[in-house]
Amino acid sequence: MIRWRRGEVRELLPSWPGVSVCLVTVTEGDGGKRSCRALAYTDLVGEPRPGDAVLLNTGALDLGLGTGGYALVVALPDRLPADREGPGHLVKARYTPLQATVEGADEQDSPHHATLRDADGVAGMPVVVADLHSALPAVLAGVLRDRPGARVVNVMTDGGALPAAFSRTLGVLREEGLLAGCVTTGQAFGGDLEAVTVHSGLLAARHVLDADVVVVCQGPGNLGTGTPWGFSGVSCGEAVNAAAVLDGRPVASLRLSEADPRPRHLGVSHHSLTAYGRVASARADVVVPLLPGVFGERVRAQAAPLGDRHTLVEVDVEGLEDALRALPMKPSTMGRGLEEDRASFLGAAAAGRHAASLL
């Protein structure tokens, strides 16, 4: 449950659009004090200033979970933001204390409603499906390496962070003009467009944002329990099905690692084997990167059973490492960069390369 704390903003720290990061003095239940970083979503709670009282949720921080080391600002109780008027009747983070009303691209009052009402497919558009948010820049690098002019859109699911603003990756990729936009779906919010489902998100990406390629992945962070079915990446299989039913071309990016200390994620992660091997009922192109040596042989052997229900596509990785190094941010997954876990990023980039070949 929520761990409530009161605090006071001492200092504003480097931040990014939609997010204000603060150094906060927290008052504990026994009256003790400590300092921590706190993250405020400015569209939800307003702009913190030094000296402001804040109400905080410190639960994930105290448990050491994947929040990036932040407490979360729930409210500035002494200086509430002004009411925001505007269109939108789509409620996300529904029935939580911070539910937010946004304008959905597919709702009746949206200027895009008629377009999405009449759209029934994405006309063979490649849809790359990836487990982790960290795969997004790598897939993008693979697409743009071979098709520099392609318009790539992210459809963000709600398995990880719900606010798109939490992703510094999204912000940088859009600022650099590499990503054409983001559509937030389900309970996720804050993208360039909002959609109710992955299906309507794919339609919005194609027919409103003119996407050539879509990358479907969850926001930063993911949930896993070490059990066969208790992980948020199960949605990858569902995304494959959504792409196929809309006449897209599903491209399955394997979650790979050559450095993860957990055996279930070494080589091809059990997340990919379950999502694509048991959840995805539609046929996809499963991209198997041609990695060298014993590790490459392991990946090919682990992926082989997926060929019973999908098309295995072996993709050369030549030139993809240079494309990854040219990204405006350093790729990172689970705290590991390109030098520590090259296979993770090359696998995603290879999926992007294959998607580019389908255009």
Side-chain angles (χ1 to χ4, degrees), residues 200-280:
S200 58
L202 290 171
L203 292 169
R206 178 65 168 179
H207 297 287
V208 178
L209 296 181
D210 297 320
D212 297 314
V213 176
V214 161
V215 183
V216 179
C217 61
Q218 60 190 328
N222 70 311
L223 182 60
T225 63
T227 62
W229 291 100
F231 63 95
S232 53
V234 165
S235 64
C236 287
E238 298 160 353
V240 165
N241 297 337
V245 78
L246 292 174
D247 194 30
R249 184 73 179 268
V251 176
S253 175
L254 294 173
R255 177 175 169 177
L256 305 178
S257 179
E258 55 189 326
D260 200 305
R262 299 166 294 180
R264 64 185 183 274
H265 293 306
L266 196 60
V268 180
S269 169
H270 81 100
H271 285 196
S272 291
L273 297 176
T274 299
Y276 302 139
R278 302 185 67 182
V279 179

Side-chain angles (χ1 to χ4, degrees), residues 89-103:
H89 296 86
L90 202 67
V91 180
K92 296 201 174 186
R94 289 187 285 277
Y95 302 103
T96 69
L98 287 179
Q99 64 181 7
T101 304
V102 299
E103 183 181 52

